[in-house]
Structure formats: C-alpha cells, structure tokens
Amino acid sequence: MTPDQLLADCQVPVLGICAFSGTGKTTLLKKLLPELSARGLKVAVLKHAHHNFEVDKPGKDSFELRKSGADQMLIASSNRRALMMERPVEGDPDLKELLALVDQRHLDLILVEGFKRLPLPKLELHRAELGKPLVFEDDALIQAIACDSATVLPADCALPQLDINDVDAIADYVQGFIAAWQPVANQPFGPQGSAEGRSQLSVQQGIDHILSLVKPVSETETVALTDAIDRVLAVPAISPINVPQHTNSAMDGYACAFDAAIEQYQLMGTVFAGHAYDGQLQAGQAVKIMTGAPMPVGSDTVIMREMASEQDGMVRFDDGVKLGEHVRQAGEDIAVGEQAAAVGERIKPATVGLLASLGLAQPTVYRRPKVAIFSTGDEVCSPEHDLKPNCIFDSNRYSLHGLLAKLDCDIIDLGIIEDNQAAMEQALRQAAAEADVVLTSGGVSVGDADFIKDALATTGEINFWKIAQRPGRPLAFGQIGKALFFGLPGNPVATMVSFMQFVQPTLRKLAGEANWQPTLIRAISTTALRSRVGRTEFVRGTMQLGAAGQLQVSSTGAQGSGMLSSMTQANCLIIIEEAQDHVNAGDSVWVQPFADLL
Ligand code: AMP
Ligand code: MG
C-alpha cells in the first residue's frame, strides 16, 4: 500500500513515530503532547499494543459485559468516551481501518506509534547508545530525524536533523509539518500529465489529450424559449428588470405601516395581484392585500390573515407581528443589470424559467454539435431486419443515439458500414465532411481486420490507444479533416463507458459548455470488488441510501463488457482507482452517477 492509498480518506495530517524500543518514544511523547496542546493543537495518538492488552479492569461493568459477549462496548460519561471492539485479526490490525475510527472532525494531527513498516510520513527517533542502525537509509518516507549528539549521520543525509532532547524544536517541526500538509489529491481517473514510462494512457491522460484538441463551436443562433432547453447560452442573460419588479406581499393578509402602539387600523380597501393601491397609506391605515400584490406607498409590513380580526371597517392584529415581515423587496431575486445566466451555461428547466421571468424570450445559443455515427462489422445486423446466422443485432448505434440525444447533438446516422476498405473510406469522408465529430464502434481492437485501420490511416490522422481501463481498453482517436474521430470499442458496455468518459467531455466542450466536470460522489460499497493495479475499473453499480442515511453502492453482478443488461440495471459506475486491486465490502469508493447522461 502507498501512503496515498493509506491516507486517502484522512482529513488531517498523519505522522508516524519510528524508533527501536528503548529509544524513549513514550518519554518524548509525554513531553511533546503538552507542548503541542499548549500551542492550541489537538492531537490524536494511535498506538500499537500487545495482542492481549486491556484498558479495562475485571469487576467493572464494562469489563464484565464485554466478557459476557458484547461485540462492541461503548462506555461514555460527560467527560470521556471509550469504544472497545473485539476484532481478532492475523498480524497487525489494518491501519486504514483504524484511522477511519478516529474522530477527525476537531483534530490537527494523528501521531501513529508502534506499527512496523508504516507506509506514511514518519519522524525517526535515534539514540546512539542503543547501537541500532538508522532506519531512514532504507525508508524513503522518513521526513526528519531526532537524535542525540552522539549520533553521527552520514554526510549526504539531507533530512532535517533535530535534537531528541529539545522538545521545543521537535514541536516546531511538527507544527511546520501540519502547516505544510495537503490532503491526498483525488485522481479517480488515474494520473494526469505525461504518460512517459506507462504502456497505457490513464483515463485522465486520455481525456486531457483529447480535450486539448477540442475547439468549441462559435456559430450562434437565436431560439424561442421553448426550444432553448438543453442548449448552451452564447450571450450572457443580463436582467433588464428587477425581479420582482415591485416590492410586494409574500402573503394573503393586511399591509400597513406597522406600529405596535396602534391598537386598530382603518381598512382602506383591497389590493389584488396585478393591481395597485392608488393612494398613500397613512399611520393607522391598512389595506387587505393578496400575495404578489404591490405594497402600497407608506406600508412596510404584511400581517397574515390568521393573525388579524376585522370588524366594522377596522382591523386588529394579534401580538407577535414583526416589523417588515412577509414583504418581498423589488429586485431581491435579480436586480436590473445583474447576470442571471452566464455564457457556457447549459439551459435547464430552471434556467429557461428564469429567462422567461426576465422577459428574455429569444436567448442566443451556440449551434448544436453535429455528430456522425456508424457501426462496423460484417456480423452486425440491423434490428429492423431478420437476424442472419452467426450475426448480432446492432445495439451500439442505438445506445449512441440515446447518449447523443441527451447531449442535444444533431445526429447524422450512416447506418452499418460493411467490412471493406472502400466502403469504410467513403463513409469516413462523408461523415467528416458533414460533422464536427465522427463516432464509430467496433473494429479498433487488436486482432480486428486491418482494413478499418488502413481506411483510417488513408483518411485521417488517427492514434490507436490502449487506455488503462476496463471495460473499453482500445480507443482510436484523431482527426479526419476538421472533424474529430473516435473509434469506440465494439463491445456494447465498452462503447457506452468510453462514450461517457471521452466523448461526453468532448461534446460538452465543443457545444460551448464551460468548465464541465463529471459528477463524482463517495459511497460505501456493500460488495467486495476486484480489479488490477494499474487500470481504472468501471463497475456497473446501483446506488441507494442505506438504512443509516449513508449512500451505498453495490455491483450489478456479472460484468461482461457485452452485457448491456448490466447497464440498464445500473444507475452509476463504481470507480476502482488505478492504485487499488480490490475493494472490500464497507470501503468507501468513487461513484459516477448516470444522472448526467443516461
Ligand atoms: P470489435 O471491437 O469489433 O472487436 O467488437 C467487439 C465485440 O463487440 C464483438 O463481439 C462485436 O460483435 C461486438 N459489436 C461490434 N459492433 C457492435 C454493434 N454495433 N452492436 C453490438 N455489438 C457490437
Ligand atoms: Mg469488429
């Protein structure tokens, strides 16, 4: 396990203390902890102990109940809480699990002591008189050495050296360590940056490379509001009016200039929404007012009907009226000149409502991206015809239709192109001439007939990539003329997953959408999952709220990349990151909901 894996879920810095026994770890900590505490730092200590250690005493209730079989014993007072768990394991307990048990909410640091070979940053303690070797020479994670004056460090040792007897200096070092700490950067799609030294691109490297070649469309058009849904705004929506236009009533009730000293108010009339009270209200006067009706000049408060009693043209109010209540101020939602929606925003139902509320009936949007699609493969057969022997129905073109419709693209469907080079070249040329993006599925894996690769080589500049992901390892990407080309893998789940990860961000950027990022959330996996270190695994999952109010996710079961049923059952992808080869039930994982797209 790497430090990043171990510490990925930690919200505070963790520092290991590493020393041979007899060096005086506990003696030092007993001096260091009060010093850190005097500096206002809250420190937790996680200590390894003998397998049969006891913190409890025979005869105490908590001891007896635990010995009677309580799996967990939580004992608490107004001062202190102690949780004891019976968790026998082979070897050392899992440190990641232990760190997760520490209440990190009000903490500045966790010190870890007594665990061997910790994959985390450590302070080494050393005393020459013990005659033990220095650990840092074999352990790149040692950050500093606190030693006595008799210790001789090699001349080339670049680590900070502290005096083991100078508690102040060690506290300074720890304080600096806390200040310099940064949480482990999340890279759920694998590393960014150069792919040097890797045989396959990480998902993130693939995305970054592709996006660097995407130029957003610049052509715009003006559309009616009812056609604006899902389009991307090309001109900012600046409000020409105040919303609401007038200060108005938020309740059905009575408006007046409220004065607690006035016993009753003279009723001057009724104001309905869409109308106004002509006169000016004087002290002691009120009007009956409906929700949304403009506040009469001179009034400041609306008293709801339930708190009022009317008699003989007069109205009285119950106690408890607050001056100024139930009034919506002019422009409190949006003021004149304020930006209501920015360039690059995709217009959602609320956005279109907002534009309507401002009277912006003709928004200017970017033109839709044009996407040409076709399927390849002699075995691929249109579902509108009878299935030929040894063939499969074309499902990819239909999934792609659905995905492209969700992204509001114009689709040019070229159908199924037979397996021959001339037909392929002709289809590619036609597609690239008409579309911004050309998508094909099938024919890009190792072992596929070469004519697709030949056709691509003669029509454009295409790279055949291996992405460190499953499903969807093969991906062809490049340019044919001005169009971007994606050769998606043929397996139906791989086609969809590769679309989600690579084509979706491309089409969103192309459409003018600004700063789009996939939605990623954390959930607890209720199933154990397997992967392989060095690739990102996308497991079809279903997420739901668990009984304890925590988001949970489970695998849909068999994960064959041809099994489209796993996609229809799923509502998300569970991401097993490159660094992990497995996920235990109960572990927290990244989840990419389909809600963005599917
Ligand atoms: P390929 O990438 O061409 O090697 O295809 C991988 C698998 O996906 C094969 O089993 C193909 O039959 C299948 N496949 C290819 N194209 C489609 C398609 N349009 N619809 C459904 N399955 C397909
Ligand atoms: Mg094929």
Side-chain angles (χ1 to χ4, degrees):
M1 196 182 288
T2 66
D4 277 5
Q5 284 169 270
L6 176 63
L7 304 177
D9 299 324
C10 286
Q11 295 136 44
V12 295
V14 181
L15 182 64
I17 305 288
C18 147
F20 286 97
S21 64
T23 313
K25 267 181 292 189
T26 307
T27 313
L28 173 65
L29 285 180
K30 276 166 65 185
K31 293 185 198 144
L32 183 61
L33 286 167
E35 179 54 35
L36 293 173
S37 157
R39 297 179 184 206
L41 298 169
K42 282 211 161 42
V43 180
V45 180
L46 213 157
K47 184 179 165 61
H48 190 266
H50 181 265
H51 68 276
N52 262 337
F53 79 93
E54 266 305 348
V55 291
D56 222 357
K57 287 200 190 79
K60 290 279 180 196
D61 286 354
S62 52
F63 183 94
E64 299 303 329
L65 293 173
R66 191 156 55 84
K67 293 294 169 193
S68 309
D71 177 67
Q72 299 185 34
M73 177 73 224
L74 176 64
I75 175 164
S77 75
S78 55
N79 282 336
R80 191 163 300 122
R81 296 152 199 212
L83 175 61
M84 286 166 273
M85 299 174 167
E86 300 303 304
R87 293 286 180 273
V89 287
E90 289 280 324
D92 281 352
D94 181 343
L95 188 57
K96 195 173 167 81
E97 226 175 284
L98 298 179
L99 286 167
L101 286 174
V102 176
D103 179 359
Q104 300 186 13
R105 282 169 301 177
H106 310 290
L107 212 55
D108 299 294
L109 176 72
I110 303 175
L111 287 174
V112 179
E113 197 228 296
F115 286 78
K116 292 202 190 77
R117 282 271 146 209
L118 290 177
L120 49 81
K122 279 164 290 200
L123 173 66
E124 174 169 4
L125 309 184
H126 188 266
R127 281 186 197 277
E129 70 211 47
L130 290 179
K132 297 285 189 187
L134 285 155
V135 176
F136 81 89
E137 295 185 296
D138 295 322
D139 188 339
L141 293 169
I142 303 279
Q143 309 291 306
I145 303 167
C147 53
D148 55 4
S149 52
T151 302
V152 184
L153 294 179
D156 61 352
C157 172
L159 294 175
Q161 188 179 346
L162 307 162
D163 177 351
I164 195 168
N165 299 314
D166 186 347
V167 173
D168 247 3
I170 297 177
D172 285 348
Y173 172 77
V174 171
Q175 212 167 3
F177 176 82
I178 295 171
W181 175 80
Q182 293 201 316
V184 174
N186 286 310
Q187 296 192 319
F189 293 128
Q192 292 180 294
S194 155
E196 225 181 276
R198 294 179 58 108
S199 59
Q200 306 185 348
L201 289 180
S202 74
V203 177
Q204 193 63 56
Q205 286 163 347
I207 294 170
D208 293 346
H209 181 79
I210 292 168
L211 288 183
S212 72
L213 295 172
V214 177
K215 290 188 200 70
V217 299
S218 52
E219 302 94 315
T220 62
E221 55 190 321
T222 298
V223 293
L225 274 180
T226 43
D227 297 328
I229 281 287
D230 288 338
R231 304 298 296 267
V232 179
L233 206 58
V235 171
I238 305 294
S239 179
I241 56 168
N242 274 322
V243 181
Q245 201 173 0
H246 302 287
T247 299
N248 67 71
S249 173
M251 285 276 182
D252 289 344
Y254 298 85
C256 63
F258 182 71
D259 180 346
I262 296 176
E263 235 170 71
Q264 55 178 354
Y265 294 77
Q266 185 188 1
L267 259 182
M268 305 302 293
T270 302
V271 202
F272 292 96
H275 299 269
Y277 179 71
D278 290 338
Q280 178 163 3
L281 281 188
Q282 306 298 327
Q285 296 182 334
V287 291
K288 205 169 185 173
I289 193 163
M290 304 301 146
T291 306
M295 294 290 285
V297 179
S299 67
D300 55 23
T301 304
V302 172
I303 298 96
M304 55 184 179
R305 207 174 268 179
E306 294 80 344
M307 292 180 74
S309 40
E310 243 184 71
Q311 202 176 17
D312 303 330
M314 303 296 285
V315 61
R316 292 166 177 271
F317 303 126
D318 297 347
D319 290 343
V321 173
K322 288 195 203 78
L323 184 70
E325 68 184 339
H326 307 314
V327 177
R328 302 175 185 141
Q329 298 300 325
E332 77 174 15
D333 186 3
I334 293 173
V336 176
E338 209 177 303
Q339 178 170 289
V343 170
E345 249 182 68
R346 203 172 271 274
I347 298 176
K348 299 185 291 273
T351 327
V352 85
L354 184 64
L355 298 179
S357 76
L358 305 179
L360 299 173
Q362 299 275 311
T364 300
V365 297
Y366 291 111
R367 77 159 167 83
R368 294 192 175 102
K370 293 191 198 96
V371 183
I373 56 174
F374 61 88
S375 298
T376 67
D378 272 348
E379 80 280 25
V380 179
C381 188
S382 166
E384 278 136 23
H385 301 138
D386 289 338
L387 189 60
K388 288 181 261 167
N390 310 318
C391 287
I392 51 156
F393 283 128
D394 179 8
S395 61
N396 290 344
R397 210 156 35 91
Y398 297 87
S399 317
L400 290 174
H401 257 276
L403 292 162
L404 291 168
K406 287 277 180 189
L407 289 174
D408 202 42
C409 294
D410 284 335
I411 304 168
I412 303 162
D413 187 343
L414 300 175
I416 303 165
I417 304 299
E418 61 184 290
D419 273 351
N420 85 55
Q421 189 167 337
M424 194 69 56
E425 284 179 18
Q426 208 262 322
L428 286 170
R429 287 215 172 83
Q430 183 193 343
E434 292 178 24
D436 301 301
V437 174
V438 180
L439 296 181
T440 67
S441 69
V444 294
S445 3
V446 181
D448 273 319
D450 279 340
F451 60 85
I452 296 187
K453 288 166 192 130
D454 293 343
L456 285 167
T458 51
T459 45
E461 283 167 47
I462 313 294
N463 294 303
F464 291 85
W465 285 342
K466 284 198 182 82
I467 307 278
Q469 72 170 40
R470 196 171 78 165
R473 191 167 67 131
L475 179 70
F477 173 76
Q479 272 174 305
I480 304 175
K482 287 201 183 102
L484 293 172
F485 171 82
F486 288 87
L488 300 173
N491 276 310
V493 178
T495 305
M496 295 190 77
V497 168
S498 294
F499 183 101
M500 254 179 106
Q501 308 307 2
F502 302 107
V503 184
Q504 164 168 235
T506 300
L507 291 175
R508 289 184 182 276
K509 183 172 177 189
L510 193 76
E513 209 173 324
N515 307 320
W516 181 82
Q517 295 283 327
T519 305
L520 296 177
I521 47 182
R522 296 292 279 182
I524 301 296
S525 176
T526 58
T527 30
L529 305 169
R530 304 223 136 272
S531 178
R532 187 189 294 163
V533 170
R535 78 167 174 232
T536 305
E537 185 98 13
F538 296 110
V539 180
R540 274 74 79 203
T542 47
M543 54 174 180
Q544 70 275 314
L545 215 49
Q550 207 168 21
L551 198 60
Q552 294 182 338
V553 69
S554 53
S555 159
T556 56
Q559 295 286 315
S561 62
M563 297 171 65
L564 260 187
S565 60
S566 69
M567 283 298 278
T568 62
Q569 287 156 27
N571 60 12
C572 63
L573 294 178
I574 305 169
I575 302 171
I576 311 179
E577 296 164 57
E578 278 198 7
Q580 293 173 286
D581 65 355
H582 73 283
V583 167
N584 293 321
D587 283 356
S588 159
V589 287
W590 283 114
V591 166
Q592 187 175 12
F594 285 168
D596 266 357
L597 193 61
L598 287 161

